[in-house]
Amino acid sequence: AEFCLFSAHVSSLVLEDRANDSKREISIAVDNEVIELTDQGETKAWRLFKTMYEPSKKAKTDAGELTDRDEVPLAWAIPIDHRYPGKFWAFFPTEYETTLSGILNAPWKTNEDRQNLLTGKFNEELLNACAELVIDQLPKLVDDEDPGKFLELLPGRGRENRNWADGIITDQVYKFGRNRPSLPDQDGRLRHP
């Protein structure tokens, strides 16, 4: 169902299995910055942050035929008031998990079955850009009632890495976070750590 979060042109999706006479209905409704994703009558709220990234020439060479575009879309979808284990998506879920909450969606360079992210300059650049996207959104995540609540969305501190890509995103989120206001004080203002 989360596919619809990254497909702005899709407001509803109906999947029919005529052989077994079953149907699955998925829809999306946007209210301000909150996306309500309904799957089979169950609604969950998400926030979606997006940016476009311009890969370097070296990264584009590493990506090969994968990208001949000047810019690629990056997105971070985070759950509101429900749990969702961190995952890397390439518009569909991969086998790669992350300790960062939510979904990091990008046109990653993957193996042929699109289940695993491959090491290389292209994915490393995308991971760095995703880490910057995460840090850039922190001011929007501060809740007046609980200014530190967003901290539980951030990745583990390097000891819990799920895979090489999770290690990079974790390192980069904390690297960028050290140099920008990213930790709330008691008044909810983000300060340098």
Side-chain angles (χ1 to χ4, degrees):
E2 291 82 5
F3 163 81
C4 294
L5 294 171
F6 311 110
S7 304
H9 61 286
V10 177
S11 61
S12 67
L13 183 63
V14 178
L15 305 169
E16 289 185 66
D17 179 352
R18 293 179 181 157
N20 294 311
D21 195 32
S22 65
K23 186 186 333 185
R24 181 177 177 190
E25 296 183 39
I26 304 165
S27 64
I28 273 197
V30 180
D31 183 18
N32 287 329
E33 293 183 354
V34 175
I35 299 172
E36 292 183 343
L37 178 64
T38 303
D39 183 9
Q40 297 296 85
E42 182 181 357
T43 301
K44 293 183 177 175
W46 293 79
R47 294 208 46 201
L48 180 66
F49 302 106
K50 302 183 291 186
T51 191
M52 295 298 287
Y53 177 70
E54 187 177 323
S56 71
K57 199 172 210 168
K58 196 172 187 178
K60 287 171 91 172
T61 300
D62 176 56
E65 295 177 11
L66 178 67
T67 182
D68 55 359
R69 297 175 284 176
D70 291 332
E71 292 184 317
V72 294
L74 306 177
W76 180 38
I78 56 170
I80 300 174
D81 297 329
H82 70 281
R83 304 285 296 161
Y84 189 93
K87 293 284 284 186
F88 289 97
W89 277 47
F91 298 95
F92 291 96
T94 70
E95 293 294 319
Y96 269 50
E97 296 180 344
T98 175
T99 55
L100 176 71
S101 292
I103 301 171
L104 276 180
N105 186 61
W108 309 106
K109 183 176 178 182
T110 63
N111 63 345
E112 288 183 16
D113 66 3
R114 298 178 50 106
Q115 293 300 300
N116 298 291
L117 278 61
L118 300 175
T119 58
K121 183 69 175 164
F122 182 72
N123 281 346
E124 287 176 19
E125 276 194 20
L126 295 188
L127 288 164
N128 288 336
C130 284
E132 199 159 4
L133 172 65
V134 168
I135 294 299
D136 287 347
Q137 303 314 312
L138 296 184
K140 295 177 184 174
L141 297 175
V142 175
D143 180 341
D144 292 338
E145 297 295 315
D146 185 359
K149 184 176 181 180
F150 74 87
L151 294 172
E152 58 192 38
L153 298 172
L154 299 181
R157 292 178 304 222
R159 296 187 186 105
E160 303 92 11
N161 292 341
R162 307 277 195 256
N163 51 61
W164 70 268
D166 187 35
I168 290 176
I169 195 75
T170 298
D171 290 346
Q172 294 303 331
V173 163
Y174 287 105
K175 175 185 163 194
F176 290 128
R178 278 193 299 270
N179 299 315
R180 297 189 194 166
S182 59
L183 197 60
D185 64 16
Q186 291 182 353
D187 296 319
R189 288 186 307 257
L190 290 180
R191 304 288 189 180
H192 284 84

